[in-house]
Amino acid sequence: MRPFRVGIPQEALDDLRARLGSARWPAEVPDTGWSRGVPQSYLRELAAYWRDGYDWRATEARINAFPQFMTVIDGADIHVLHVRSPEPDAVPLLLTHGWPGSFIEFLDVIGPLTDPRAHGGDPADAFHVVVPSLPGFGFSGPLTEHGWTLPRVAGMWAELMASLGYDRYLPQGGDLGASVAILLGATDPEHVLGTHVNFLFTAPSGDPAELADLDAADLARLQRLGAFADDGSGYMKLLATRPQSLGYGLTDSPIGQLAWNVEKFYEWSDAEKSPEEAIDRDTLLAQVSLYWLTGTAGTAGHLYADNAAFMPITSAPPPPLPSVPGPLGVTVYPADLAQPIRRLAERRNPRIVRWTEAERGGHFAAMEQPELFVAELRAFRRTLEAR
């Protein structure tokens, strides 16, 4: 473990500002809203703020307020936030992000999770928090080789937790991080106390009998999943099949990077007119800036290509993730891109001990609803202790 602090050279920030000022803009068909991508009027205004209003140095200071490290695992440099709780009985908690997010998703929840006493909570709910960046993302990249499958990442995270001295821990994740958390629960059960996710695919197996007892609400969730496959999964197919070609444009054009990421922050969050209804503007730009300033839009995309076999990008359904032998907790946020069906989930994972249908929030739970996110993890821990 090598101590690490973020320090982007000023030349990189000056270059970003110059590129934003000289951007070329395409023609736009009017009156399409968000139906064909990010509206140009919104993107122009957001890009102008990125150039003249957003302060990366403030983001940098916010990140550097937490202990950070770089370590080598399985040949890759991995960036890690490791924040120990002052409470002696704190439980180790491993948080894994997805795409187009990053470790920045969790900055607002680290304080309440590690030091509940200082945030009006019960010190008995404290966690030691570990937040690694996925290989190829942010300061864990760029990478120079391929083969970073999610099972491999899960093995890396198990090694990470052992190297930090944590014999028992809770993995948690959303998006790609949810898959990593489930794989940890399945492959490192002797060290995993319980697994928690806020994203879970429950695609039917194809057996008609499996759908016979589903009610109208469950069938609506199946229809939502089908709509995502038809209309919302184009990004996944591109990342899983042509990440190199896509990476050239994203690495050379900050406007392209901004549109590519912000579209998903809008579509997958609990927002109606703009993503800023769900996620603070500076936080949005912090996420996009991280990808831009580290030059990792391309290598982050390669993680999809390395895991194409696990992606629903063909007519054949991908193989299901392994069952979790230990306790599993699931929080479902109503604006997420897909909601799981509990009956189907329990057939795969019969040890679901907590299932919560949140009243609000979307795919980026820790950013959109940090208080709900923290409350759910505390409640899951109490459920495990009660058992």
Side-chain angles (χ1 to χ4, degrees):
M1 289 284 172
R2 309 185 305 275
F4 178 82
R5 286 179 63 83
V6 179
I8 298 297
Q10 185 60 42
E11 309 89 83
L13 301 179
D14 294 340
D15 174 69
L16 170 59
R17 192 169 187 273
R19 287 172 182 259
L20 289 169
S22 62
R24 297 176 61 196
W25 294 90
E28 180 181 34
V29 177
D31 303 323
T32 58
W34 288 81
S35 65
R36 298 190 180 189
V38 185
Q40 191 172 130
S41 58
Y42 173 76
L43 198 67
R44 279 182 179 270
E45 196 272 330
L46 185 61
Y49 178 76
W50 194 12
R51 179 177 184 268
D52 297 322
Y54 170 70
D55 183 2
W56 167 260
R57 294 302 184 199
T59 296
E60 208 168 65
R62 186 179 173 215
I63 296 170
N64 286 333
F66 298 103
Q68 300 168 79
F69 303 89
M70 293 293 294
T71 187
V72 177
I73 309 176
D74 198 6
D77 285 326
I78 298 297
H79 172 247
V80 185
L81 271 67
H82 180 206
V83 186
R84 288 189 59 85
S85 171
E87 303 298 338
D89 296 325
V91 171
L93 173 67
L94 173 67
L95 302 174
T96 306
H97 65 87
W99 180 91
S102 71
F103 71 92
I104 291 174
E105 291 182 47
F106 301 111
L107 296 185
D108 283 342
V109 301
I110 291 175
L113 287 170
T114 57
D115 194 1
R117 188 193 303 268
H119 291 81
D122 186 342
D125 291 329
F127 295 95
H128 301 303
V129 174
V130 180
V131 189
S133 293
L134 288 168
F137 285 68
F139 300 110
S140 287
L143 297 171
T144 57
E145 63 180 59
H146 306 311
W148 303 98
T149 64
L150 295 179
R152 182 179 179 182
V153 173
M156 295 166 70
W157 281 193
E159 182 179 335
L160 170 65
M161 295 305 281
S163 72
L164 294 173
Y166 295 133
D167 183 60
R168 302 281 279 170
Y169 64 96
L170 294 174
Q172 196 284 333
D175 195 81
L176 294 172
S179 297
V180 173
I182 288 173
L183 286 163
L184 277 165
T187 60
D188 196 26
E190 63 273 25
H191 299 116
V192 170
L193 291 164
T195 304
H196 188 276
V197 296
N198 55 270
F199 183 69
L200 185 65
F201 268 120
T202 53
S205 65
D207 180 2
E210 191 176 47
L211 309 180
D213 58 350
L214 298 185
D215 59 23
D218 288 338
L219 293 174
R221 291 190 170 189
L222 278 183
Q223 291 175 347
R224 184 185 181 102
L225 183 60
F228 168 76
D230 292 339
D231 183 65
S233 63
Y235 79 97
M236 184 188 300
K237 294 175 182 179
L238 280 173
L239 290 173
T241 59
R242 301 294 187 273
Q244 189 68 34
S245 296
L246 184 63
Y248 296 125
L250 298 180
T251 305
D252 189 59
S253 168
I255 297 297
Q257 177 74 82
L258 182 64
W260 183 245
N261 286 38
V262 166
E263 176 189 291
K264 297 312 172 195
F265 285 125
Y266 167 72
E267 289 186 347
W268 299 348
S269 68
D270 195 358
E272 294 183 5
K273 295 181 180 179
S274 85
E276 293 165 51
E277 296 172 357
I279 303 168
D280 174 77
R281 171 174 282 201
D282 282 0
T283 303
L284 282 175
L285 291 175
Q287 296 276 18
V288 179
S289 297
L290 179 67
Y291 280 76
W292 175 261
L293 294 170
T294 57
T296 53
T299 56
H302 278 284
L303 193 71
Y304 276 80
D306 287 343
N307 290 280
F310 299 96
M311 304 287 174
I313 61 173
T314 67
S315 57
L321 291 170
S323 301
V324 178
L328 176 64
V330 181
T331 305
V332 183
Y333 290 85
D336 208 341
L337 62 93
Q339 278 90 42
I341 296 171
R342 183 167 186 171
R343 295 179 188 181
L344 300 185
E346 287 178 334
R347 290 170 185 172
R348 188 73 188 164
N349 294 285
R351 293 198 64 194
I352 294 177
V353 299
R354 181 175 175 82
W355 182 287
T356 303
E357 300 279 344
E359 294 183 358
R360 56 193 181 278
H363 194 63
F364 307 98
M367 284 196 300
E368 294 183 60
Q369 298 294 335
E371 292 182 2
L372 277 175
F373 182 84
V374 169
E376 274 299 295
L377 287 176
R378 290 173 177 173
F380 180 60
R381 175 185 169 175
R382 293 189 211 109
T383 299
L384 298 181
E385 291 171 345
R387 291 170 62 87

